[in-house]
Amino acid sequence: MEYKILIADDEQGIIQLLKDYFEIQGYRVLEALNGAEVLVKLAHKPDIILLDVSMPGIDGFEVCRRIRSHISCPILFLTARIEEQDRINGLKLGGDDYIMKPFSIEELGARVEAHLRREERKRLNGSVLMSDRLAIRYSERSVYYENDQVNLTKMEFDIVELLSMNPGQVFSKDQLYEKTRGYDGAGDSSIVTEHIRRIRTKLAEYTEKSYIETVWGVGYKWIG
């Protein structure tokens, strides 16, 4: 899935830096140099917004106040302001996160991914993916084969959830580890191989069908 990210900042250099980074990550990037442009670009229905606080004309706080009741996507404030009250005000207006300048672009990317995963889980709340006789109940975080529950650990379910939500997309061990354990997760991505083995072993108790395919030298994909 190609996510649309709206980047709003009055510094063209920051926009270009973030644009280059997120396009490499596979995002479609929308740009805005001021609050008025943000209001216009909302017509493109971004999946997430990076919103600079100190923009000319309509500042980031005012933009958030105007749009929050009309859109549900995450809003992440970018700001050099360090006063606690500013952060509190931004969150009260409906912001979902606060990123202080200067920031690590890798940390920002990880936070954006985390917010989008939460949105995807909310969208899937109550939904069930049926794959042959396998049922994945996302809201319950459970997997069933016909009427039998397949007992998965948290990490095992996280892997099944990510792969099944992106059928056909290949994820490397590092990507699976980062996306399920978080950017700062402590450990080694090599444990993903062991988790995949355990998932397959547990599914093999019920079916000979392979739901997770190994793409040799690359990673894994869901082929349910």
Side-chain angles (χ1 to χ4, degrees):
M1 176 178 181
E2 182 187 55
Y3 287 111
K4 287 180 284 187
I5 182 169
L6 173 54
I7 302 172
D9 198 295
D10 62 340
E11 295 184 45
Q12 184 63 54
I14 290 179
I15 287 184
Q16 191 60 52
L17 173 69
L18 296 179
K19 182 175 187 289
D20 291 344
Y21 173 79
F22 283 106
E23 284 185 339
I24 289 173
Q25 303 305 314
Y27 292 79
R28 177 185 170 192
V29 177
L30 308 170
E31 306 173 40
L33 285 168
N34 53 60
E37 288 188 14
V38 174
L39 301 179
V40 172
K41 295 295 175 69
L42 290 178
H44 296 281
K45 298 181 179 179
D47 297 295
I48 191 166
I49 300 173
L50 301 183
L51 187 58
D52 181 35
V53 171
S54 302
M55 292 186 294
I58 310 172
D59 68 17
F61 287 156
E62 176 61 17
V63 169
C64 185
R65 187 190 68 78
R66 292 190 189 186
I67 70 177
R68 187 31 110 195
S69 61
H70 305 294
I71 65 165
S72 61
C73 75
I75 296 175
L76 282 63
F77 285 116
L78 304 178
T79 181
R81 298 184 183 182
I82 60 174
E83 291 80 5
E84 181 181 7
Q85 191 58 49
D86 283 329
R87 296 197 297 272
I88 292 172
N89 290 342
L91 296 173
K92 282 185 174 180
L93 286 169
D96 296 279
D97 208 345
Y98 226 92
I99 314 296
M100 299 297 296
K101 295 179 180 179
F103 49 78
S104 159
I105 196 165
E106 288 82 9
E107 179 183 356
L108 175 61
R111 290 203 194 185
V112 166
E113 282 192 13
H115 282 286
L116 289 172
R117 284 200 303 272
R118 291 189 193 103
E119 288 300 300
E120 187 68 13
R121 284 171 179 162
K122 284 194 287 185
R123 185 182 69 80
L124 289 169
N125 184 39
S127 68
V128 177
L129 173 69
M130 296 298 300
S131 184
D132 191 25
R133 299 181 184 182
L134 193 76
I136 303 172
R137 301 180 183 177
Y138 294 107
S139 60
E140 297 177 10
R141 292 182 58 80
S142 59
V143 176
Y144 287 82
Y145 190 82
E146 295 186 335
N147 295 321
D148 296 317
Q149 183 171 3
V150 182
N151 293 313
L152 302 179
T153 66
K154 178 184 182 303
M155 180 69 170
E156 290 164 0
F157 182 84
D158 287 344
I159 291 172
V160 168
E161 179 184 45
L162 178 63
L163 292 175
S164 64
M165 285 169 54
N166 299 276
Q169 181 176 342
V170 180
F171 291 90
S172 68
K173 288 189 298 183
D174 288 339
Q175 288 175 319
L176 283 170
Y177 185 80
E178 267 189 24
K179 292 177 183 295
T180 56
R181 293 295 293 272
Y183 180 73
D184 294 320
D188 188 333
S189 63
S190 62
I191 68 171
V192 168
T193 303
E194 177 61 16
H195 284 298
I196 295 287
R197 185 192 68 78
R198 292 180 182 178
I199 293 168
R200 287 170 168 165
T201 298
K202 291 177 180 180
L203 290 175
E205 295 179 15
Y206 304 95
T207 176
E208 295 181 356
K209 183 173 182 178
S210 174
Y211 291 92
I212 299 176
E213 180 179 285
T214 299
V215 181
W216 294 108
V218 184
Y220 304 94
K221 67 179 180 179
W222 185 264
I223 57 167

